[in-house]
Amino acid sequence: MAQAQDMIRLQDVTFAYEYGDPVLEGVSFCIPEGESRVIMGQSGSGKSTILKLLLGLYKPISGEVYIDDEPIGPCSEQHLGDVRKKMGMVFQDGALFDSLTVGENVGFYLIEHENLTIEEVEERVRQVLKVVRLEESLIDKMPEELSGGMQRRVAIARALLATAPKIMLYDEPTTGLDPESATQVLRLMHQLTRERNIATIVVTHQFLDALAIADKFILIDKGVVAFDGSLADLKDSEDKRVTSFLEPFRASLRLMEERRFV
Ligand SMILES: Nc1ncnc2c1ncn2[C@@H]1O[C@H](COP(=O)(O)OP(=O)(O)OP(=O)(O)O)[C@@H](O)[C@H]1O
Ligand SMILES: [Mg+2]
């Protein structure tokens, strides 16, 4: 049985895109509030598809996705909109609007959906910029004037302000960032998970970055869960799918563990 505090739960989820073979088969895992999972796996193994199912963009063929203990399969499109408000999503490229300022990007959903004055929106934007440790003076800058790491933090600020999320989903959040910027983004993700009690999923190919923040790791191999557990168990695993995944990282693993915040 699921624990009451599980924010995310996949139960025996099988999924195929239209006319295709199954992309996910019998996938189950759960994530309590305040914990993070890194989802790893080869390109095409089905990681981003899991995020799409969590957002309710697609429905499983069989099995069920639970958000905050609620099965989302039977949800109406309208109710799904409410469920999605519990989730913040940060896409790989940051996906900022090039033609809008930092402030307009961060406040975008407030301006669109909430009945607030410009001053109220600006005040909330300034508050959330502090949370992601960006200077307030950046509010009038254009995204192209910011570094990659700053852009990623603006994207996180936007997700936070849009939803006050209980769940954060990050798809490749540190890809393309220099080590210093990556560390700042990782630290922020970790703080949000702990301080706001958010259930966090990070999809990444950057295994060494994943080490810095993950409570536990999930390895997806050809659409099935090959591993779900702690770093210690991951390192000790004799499952061939795990050992071949870890092989390229063995040498640097011990050194990099010093970067862990958890
Ligand atoms: N919209 C779609 N329609 C049909 N097939 C898709 C669609 N999106 C993804 N797929 C297929 O589903 C499988 C899993 O894709 P997914 O994007 O989940 O992989 P991934 O693990 O995120 O890969 P990567 O690490 O490259 O981002 C792949 O075989 C892909 O070709
Ligand atoms: Mg992907």
Side-chain angles (χ1 to χ4, degrees):
M1 277 302 287
Q3 308 260 314
Q5 79 274 17
D6 278 340
M7 282 305 302
I8 295 170
R9 184 153 66 96
L10 269 77
Q11 191 176 292
D12 211 13
V13 166
T14 294
F15 173 76
Y17 289 99
E18 216 173 346
Y19 309 122
D21 293 330
V23 169
L24 299 171
E25 284 193 83
V27 170
S28 300
F29 62 80
C30 43
I31 309 178
E33 56 186 11
E35 284 197 17
S36 54
R37 296 286 182 280
V38 169
I39 301 185
M40 309 173 299
Q42 302 289 331
S43 185
S45 56
K47 305 180 299 294
S48 296
T49 302
I50 290 175
L51 300 186
K52 291 181 204 167
L53 291 171
L54 288 169
L55 288 165
L57 300 176
Y58 294 92
K59 285 191 192 297
I61 293 173
S62 61
E64 187 57 272
V65 175
Y66 296 81
I67 300 294
D68 203 2
D69 260 347
E70 178 182 21
I72 63 168
C75 286
S76 65
E77 200 48 45
Q78 192 189 2
H79 185 53
L80 212 45
D82 292 335
V83 174
R84 284 194 195 116
K85 286 196 185 131
K86 298 179 183 182
M87 293 185 259
M89 172 88 204
V90 178
F91 296 93
Q92 176 168 356
D93 55 5
L96 298 176
F97 304 113
D98 294 340
S99 59
L100 301 183
T101 66
V102 166
E104 288 163 345
N105 262 286
V106 174
F108 185 78
Y109 295 99
L110 291 185
I111 296 165
E112 291 282 298
H113 300 296
E114 308 277 331
N115 205 6
L116 299 174
T117 65
I118 294 295
E119 289 74 28
E120 285 167 332
V121 169
E122 198 173 304
E123 180 52 32
R124 305 236 323 238
V125 168
R126 286 182 193 282
Q127 283 169 3
V128 82
L129 285 179
K130 265 191 223 142
V131 173
V132 299
R133 287 171 186 73
L134 287 173
E135 299 275 335
E136 277 186 43
S137 58
L138 294 178
I139 200 163
D140 294 320
K141 293 250 189 281
M142 301 307 285
E144 63 187 12
E145 299 176 80
L146 271 50
S147 73
M150 288 167 154
Q151 289 184 22
R152 212 63 60 86
R153 278 182 280 161
V154 171
I156 293 172
R158 185 173 60 187
L160 287 176
L161 201 52
T163 57
K166 295 173 146 193
I167 291 171
M168 283 292 284
L169 309 173
Y170 302 90
D171 204 348
E172 300 284 358
T174 55
T175 303
L177 299 185
D178 63 82
E180 176 60 28
S181 302
T183 301
Q184 285 176 1
V185 168
L186 292 167
R187 198 184 297 276
L188 173 61
M189 290 161 58
H190 178 66
Q191 280 171 350
L192 291 173
T193 304
R194 286 289 188 274
E195 291 167 11
R196 300 191 174 204
N197 220 21
I198 290 173
T200 298
I201 293 188
V202 187
V203 169
T204 184
H205 287 279
Q206 318 287 316
F207 175 61
L208 300 177
D209 284 349
L211 285 181
I213 46 165
D215 293 309
K216 289 186 180 157
F217 301 82
I218 294 171
L219 178 64
I220 304 291
D221 183 81
K222 300 189 186 76
V224 305
V225 176
F227 178 86
D228 180 2
S230 68
L231 178 64
D233 290 342
L234 187 75
K235 284 194 294 193
D236 289 347
S237 172
E238 289 176 4
D239 187 310
K240 263 215 117 8
R241 297 167 300 182
V242 176
T243 54
S244 67
F245 176 83
L246 280 186
E247 196 50 44
F249 306 112
R250 289 275 183 207
S252 41
L253 200 51
R254 194 174 309 158
L255 272 178
M256 293 302 293
E257 277 195 85
E258 292 170 14
R259 263 181 94 197
R260 277 170 70 83
F261 304 138
V262 289

